[in-house]
Amino acid sequence: MNNYGWMQTIVFFVILLAAVKPFGAYLARVFRGERTFLSPLLVPCENILYRVCGVDRNEEMPWRRYALSLVLFNLAGGVALFAILLLQGALPFNPQKFTSFPWHLALNAAVSFMTNTNWQAYSGETSASYFTQMFGFTVHNFLSAATGIAVAIATIRGFARHRSDLIGNFHVDLTRSILYVLLPVSLLVAPLLVSQGVIQNLGPYKMMPLVQPLTYDKAKVDGGGNAVRDARGNAVTERVVVREVTVPMGPVASQEAIKELGTNGGGFFNANSAHPYENPTPLTNLIEAFLILLIGASLTLTFGEMAGNPRQGWAILAVMLALLVLAIGINYAAESAGNPLVAKLGVQQVNLEGKETRFGVAGSALFSSATTGTSCGAVNAMHDSMTPLGGMVPLSLILLSEVVVGGVGTGLYTMIAFVVIAVFVAGLMIGRTPEFLGKKIEVREMWMSIVTVMTSGVLVLFFTTLALWTPQAVASMANPGAHGLSEILYAFASMSNNNGSAFAGLAANTLFYNLTGSLAMFVGRFAPIVASLAMAGSLVGKKYVPPSLGTLPTDKVPFALWLSLVILVVGALTFFPALSLGPIVEHVTMLGGK
């Protein structure tokens, strides 16, 4: 990196590391029900909500009831959002008079925001009304993020408690996640984003005159929308002169804050965080990347605090950040080197295609790695325009089940599943019954960990194969060959892992992708959640086993290295053949001058 890139990245991680310990300790106090500095203001609000909803804050649930409450609550929210999208044209706050979503697109969008995926097969500024953005998408940004945090906390209780069958109350955990964590931080960040140029209003779109008219040729279409052709079969065009452009407006800052904090990623605009109204300056770029990582990183310290072993939290965080820094470095190196064929011509160049010049390669590498290492689909550069190896970095981070640092809550409970697998395998190697934080790891925990880790991989490979067999799905690719495969692989990796970012170049608003994507997002979200809660329910009933001389220390450097190796090996064994046919083949082809 150049000096600016190094300085930007180092300062970013110093601030992140300074924030995770106090914020992680704050989260631990919140979910233990202890008093915090916000308690005098929020406890009365919390009590009112419980009375209105009929929730007993002191009543806890076994894992099956917790899981059932979670799934039913999210399904109800998904149905409500589906109805909003179907009725959009008749609802208020719609100054542009946007019509309702087609049913299959509405289904896809509803499942997407319900599952914290925020995959968008539509353009936000040309499809979604202010009502949909505020009462549909933004509300689900809070609810889906709070759901992920609740599952992480319930999983932590599985290790922290002994001889019990209760892992908490889903409704209480959900309420505290929103009132004490997501809402206060969003209220602080939104005005800060407005001060930097992120817009926040309810006004209609504005028509602005161009300084100089723009002239271009546009293909003529008939009444049915088909291209008009001459006697030779060539498309007929007409000259168009553009003298003004439409400038979108809307309540962007309020959605932007929770979009990043909750690792949601659904952009108000189609260009997402590359749009100047969402991410106008290098400072907002760093703020938004910081928000993406804040809760996921802090929850590792919350885990250590609540489980009674703070060093364990730091060890898990060290693994996450080590893999993230490695990804940033590879991405930056690939993009700063650019196309080697151009370099051979003696031209000094970097690959700035698809990037905003206000962020450059360093800001784009940091943001793209942060957003794909978590379950946040926000992007500030077009991943489709990256070099083959540069584009492979965000794709690989998603395929690793997004544990670097992972989504809000999802990153922690998926990482815990990897830890259980690593402990189990290490225990077999040294001939001892595996133990983690004083709990014996047995067959049930191992199976639940495998389901948590491998569900997304099975979904990605199955639906990618199905797409390659389906003519309609193949026709949606903008590019043939290896790059086209990368587009489809990235799409289903993003949906199955609840990321939501797109490689671009794939026309995903079709019946095939909307329906298969909905299924991938739903199963990819709730199968690991139920498996993690089942593991917590199994662990919480076990007695505590004091450490002995033969206990494997899981909070030291050797185990952190072993855990990193397990994560990489699982990812490589699952996806290396697919990556070989996609970005790796594309890179070799590029080196060959094709």
Side-chain angles (χ1 to χ4, degrees):
M1 294 186 182
N2 57 28
N3 291 335
Y4 173 77
W6 277 116
M7 179 181 67
Q8 174 179 274
T9 305
I10 291 173
V11 169
F12 175 85
F13 279 104
V14 167
I15 295 174
L16 179 65
L17 287 172
V20 292
K21 183 176 181 179
F23 198 70
Y26 170 76
L27 293 174
R29 290 195 297 273
V30 167
F31 292 104
R32 284 193 298 229
E34 299 174 359
R35 185 178 178 84
T36 68
F37 68 96
L38 290 176
S39 294
L41 176 64
L42 296 181
V43 167
C45 300
E46 189 180 3
N47 291 332
I48 292 172
L49 286 172
Y50 295 150
R51 285 198 297 269
V52 170
C53 299
V55 174
D56 182 358
R57 65 186 303 167
N58 296 316
E59 180 186 11
E60 296 200 351
M61 304 174 177
W63 80 264
R64 287 183 177 84
R65 185 180 169 195
Y66 197 104
L68 181 62
S69 299
L70 182 151
V71 173
L72 291 179
F73 178 86
N74 280 271
L75 281 176
V79 170
L81 179 55
F82 181 64
I84 289 174
L85 296 172
L86 290 181
L87 299 173
Q88 176 177 261
L91 295 174
F93 298 108
N94 188 7
Q96 300 308 116
K97 307 299 181 184
F98 292 136
T99 58
S100 301
F101 279 44
W103 72 267
H104 53 88
L105 179 59
L107 175 65
N108 185 275
V111 173
S112 175
F113 279 81
M114 176 185 70
T115 58
N116 198 245
T117 308
N118 299 62
W119 170 268
Q120 294 174 287
Y122 60 90
S123 175
E125 68 267 36
T126 61
S127 303
S129 68
Y130 296 164
F131 187 93
T132 297
Q133 296 279 14
M134 292 186 297
F135 295 95
F137 298 155
T138 303
V139 168
H140 273 273
N141 285 347
F142 281 95
L143 297 180
S144 62
T147 296
I149 295 174
V151 176
I153 296 300
T155 305
I156 292 172
R157 293 190 183 113
F159 291 96
R161 295 178 176 180
H162 315 296
R163 297 288 193 177
S164 175
D165 64 343
L166 304 176
I167 60 171
N169 186 311
F170 168 70
H171 303 292
V172 173
D173 291 339
L174 182 86
T175 302
R176 288 176 176 169
S177 297
I178 295 174
L179 281 183
Y180 289 86
V181 183
L182 300 174
L183 193 57
V185 177
S186 297
L187 289 174
L188 286 174
V189 171
L192 177 59
L193 295 178
V194 170
S195 72
Q196 293 297 303
V198 179
I199 63 172
Q200 179 75 19
N201 60 67
L202 294 175
Y205 290 8
K206 300 182 182 298
M207 299 301 297
M208 305 298 293
L210 293 175
V211 175
Q212 180 177 347
L214 174 66
T215 302
Y216 68 97
D217 291 328
K218 178 182 178 181
K220 294 184 67 174
V221 294
D222 58 23
N226 301 312
V228 176
R229 299 185 180 277
D230 60 20
R232 296 184 178 180
N234 298 320
V236 177
T237 62
E238 57 183 344
R239 182 60 57 91
V240 177
V241 179
V242 180
R243 291 185 170 83
E244 59 182 8
V245 294
T246 303
V247 179
M249 295 286 107
V252 179
S254 56
Q255 182 168 324
E256 191 70 20
I258 184 58
K259 155 192 157 182
E260 313 296 6
L261 179 65
T263 61
N264 298 282
F268 192 98
F269 300 103
N270 190 46
N272 214 290
S273 289
H275 197 289
Y277 282 174
E278 288 197 29
N279 191 6
T281 67
L283 177 60
T284 59
N285 194 62
L286 293 178
I287 292 172
E288 292 177 15
F290 174 80
L291 290 175
I292 291 171
L293 298 173
L294 175 61
I295 296 179
S298 299
L299 278 171
T300 60
L301 279 302
T302 304
F303 173 58
E305 182 80 14
M306 294 180 68
N309 187 348
R311 287 175 58 91
Q312 187 66 65
W314 284 110
I316 292 176
L317 180 60
V319 172
M320 290 178 169
L321 294 185
L323 294 174
L324 178 62
V325 170
L326 177 64
I328 294 172
I330 295 174
N331 187 286
Y332 184 92
E335 296 306 302
S336 60
N339 191 324
L341 299 179
V342 177
K344 288 180 179 179
L345 299 175
V347 179
Q348 185 177 5
Q349 50 97 36
V350 294
N351 181 26
L352 285 174
E353 180 185 348
K355 299 179 182 64
E356 287 294 315
T357 54
R358 62 185 186 275
F359 307 138
V361 173
S364 299
L366 172 62
F367 202 96
S368 66
S369 298
T371 195
T372 53
T374 65
S375 65
C376 184
V379 296
N380 74 348
M382 296 302 102
H383 299 173
D384 188 55
S385 297
M386 291 181 174
T387 61
L389 294 185
M392 189 174 71
V393 170
L395 174 57
S396 299
L397 287 172
I398 296 176
L399 293 174
L400 288 176
S401 297
E402 297 181 307
V403 293
V404 189
V405 167
V408 168
T410 62
L412 178 63
Y413 65 70
T414 306
M415 179 60 87
I416 289 175
F418 272 114
V419 171
V420 168
I421 293 172
V423 167
F424 190 86
V425 174
L428 294 179
M429 293 171 65
I430 62 177
R432 279 186 55 90
T433 301
E435 298 173 7
F436 181 52
L437 295 178
K439 298 292 183 77
K440 289 187 179 296
I441 304 301
E442 297 173 308
V443 174
R444 181 177 175 83
E445 291 77 37
M446 189 62 180
W447 272 113
M448 293 303 101
S449 297
I450 291 174
V451 171
T452 301
V453 169
M454 298 304 298
T455 294
S456 62
V458 173
L459 292 171
V460 171
L461 297 178
F462 173 78
F463 283 117
T464 299
T465 303
L466 181 62
L468 294 174
W469 281 348
T470 306
Q472 183 195 36
V474 174
S476 295
M477 295 189 305
N479 301 280
H483 196 82
L485 173 61
S486 296
E487 291 171 355
I488 294 178
L489 182 65
Y490 193 106
F492 282 111
S494 181
M495 289 185 280
S496 301
N497 286 281
N498 304 130
N499 180 267
S501 65
F503 208 55
L506 184 71
N509 187 15
T510 65
L511 183 64
F512 174 84
Y513 284 111
N514 283 335
L515 294 183
T516 56
S518 297
L519 181 59
M521 289 185 286
F522 186 87
V523 177
R525 172 71 163 179
F526 291 110
I529 281 179
V530 173
S532 296
L533 293 175
M535 181 173 68
S538 175
L539 289 169
V540 76
K542 296 187 176 185
K543 66 179 182 179
Y544 176 75
V545 179
S548 63
L549 292 177
T551 301
L552 176 69
T554 58
D555 56 359
K556 300 186 182 302
V557 173
F559 183 79
L561 295 175
W562 169 244
L563 176 60
S564 302
L565 181 63
V566 168
I567 294 171
L568 294 175
V569 167
V570 169
L573 292 176
T574 307
F575 297 111
F576 185 76
L579 293 174
S580 297
L581 296 174
I584 295 177
V585 164
E586 187 180 0
H587 179 72
V588 174
T589 303
M590 182 181 69
L591 294 179
K594 298 180 181 179

